[in-house]
Amino acid sequence: MCDLAKNEAEQFDIIASNSHSEGLSVFQGQVQNTEISDSVGLGVRVIKDGRPGYAHTERLTKEALQQTLKDAVCHTQWTEKIDIQLPTAQNLPSDACNYNPALDSLDLAQLKDFCIDLEKATFAKSKEIENIPYLGGDLDRDYSIVANNTGLFYESRSNSVSVGAGAVASRDGVKKLGNYVKNGRDWKDFSVDEIAGRAAEYATELFGAQKIEGGKIPVVLSERISARFLGMYCSPFVAEAMQKGMSRLAGKEGEKIASDAFSIWNDPFGENFETKFYFDSEGCPTERVKVVDNGVFNSALYNLETAAKAGCKTTGNGARSFGGKMSTSFYNLLVPAGQMTTAELLKLFPKCLFVVRLEGNSGCNAVSGELSIGAHGFWCENGQIVHPVDGVTLSGNFFDIIKNVVAVGNEYRDPFASYKVPALAVSELSVSN
């Protein structure tokens, strides 16, 4: 494709990937189903007369590549001009830490045996567990290439394994579901007892839930759900959303938008993360970006196109799959840890709601910041859990919530996650039954 594109456009870049996934599910001691899938494809962006055009193919014959390039060039007649220069190659650190060769020796037979043992162990954790409808594991491998007209040619390889269980427990006619999934790159870190224990704990922890009085009350968002909460509102920090009028943060760089306790960093090769990113989907070097630092909105995230529109340089956050157009994303999102444990955060308020689960997000809007979401957790008084709470609704606005963060915890839930957010203590949030 590089050879073909040289004759058709002033600039071009290519994303190609080969992803392989194997998985299985287990039910009542038997393998319920298995799935093996491969995804191979190539996408090209050409820039002709200053206009970008995209096309992709999952057929890698010469004829298919020629047609794909033709489609991309044709697409340029419909797009707006952009003023960008694609990057040249640099000496970047190796991302070898993203791939563990030892994981290649793990196969579905071993994963099956582990899952069957996990099912037995989960039942053994509690007599109240009556069913385990969700239990299985997945092995994933990914190889990708970024190349362009300057001769840049970067390769990236990664692999991982995940195993999880979802258990249904019953007490006095009330049923509860608890899920836990373990992700990682080192099979030695996977323990049947750990996964079974977490799944059983989460299935039984909310029995005996009681109602609480609604109103504006202090809330502590557990590290179990804080990353998901923040993930729903990432798009306002992306330059493209601002340029399209879909972010309330447009024009607010340099302003204080959150409390002193709250920061958000793009941390592509930070020590807190097991997966490192040294270049983005455009081949630009990534960098740590303190998007929000001690409450101040320092910088949006840019790719080459959005940076050109804003008259600044890219932050190395271009994101694109072979089948899509260029967009922007975080490469490892970090909320830096505070000084307190989660248990200590609960002691900040005489009374508070400690949220450990969220349900659905249909009432959440990243553009307006509106939040309306079902929640479950525990009512706490003087730092002690008094009783479980379920079936409440949290309401408010994301941009107000981050202003009301009074402290951030120092515990991260998932060592393998690409979003790491500790527990967040919020001075007030509307809670209704």
Side-chain angles (χ1 to χ4, degrees), residues 13 27 89 121 181 192 304 410:
D13 58 7
F27 184 68
V181 179
V192 166
L304 285 171
N410 62 7

Side-chain angles (χ1 to χ4, degrees), residues 402-417:
I402 59 177
K403 290 177 182 176
N404 293 332
V405 173
V406 296
V408 174
N410 62 7
E411 301 170 56
Y412 296 110
R413 179 183 180 230
D414 184 354
F416 196 71

Side-chain angles (χ1 to χ4, degrees), residues 83-113:
D83 182 19
I84 67 172
Q85 289 295 318
L86 297 180
T88 56
Q90 297 187 27
N91 290 323
L92 300 177
S94 167
D95 65 352
C97 63
N98 296 345
Y99 192 88
N100 179 13
L103 198 57
D104 288 343
S105 63
L106 180 65
D107 57 26
L108 283 183
Q110 293 169 278
L111 205 56
K112 177 205 71 172
D113 293 341

Side-chain angles (χ1 to χ4, degrees), residues 299-310:
S299 173
L301 299 180
Y302 294 88
N303 60 32
L304 285 171
E305 293 186 22
T306 55
K309 289 180 181 179

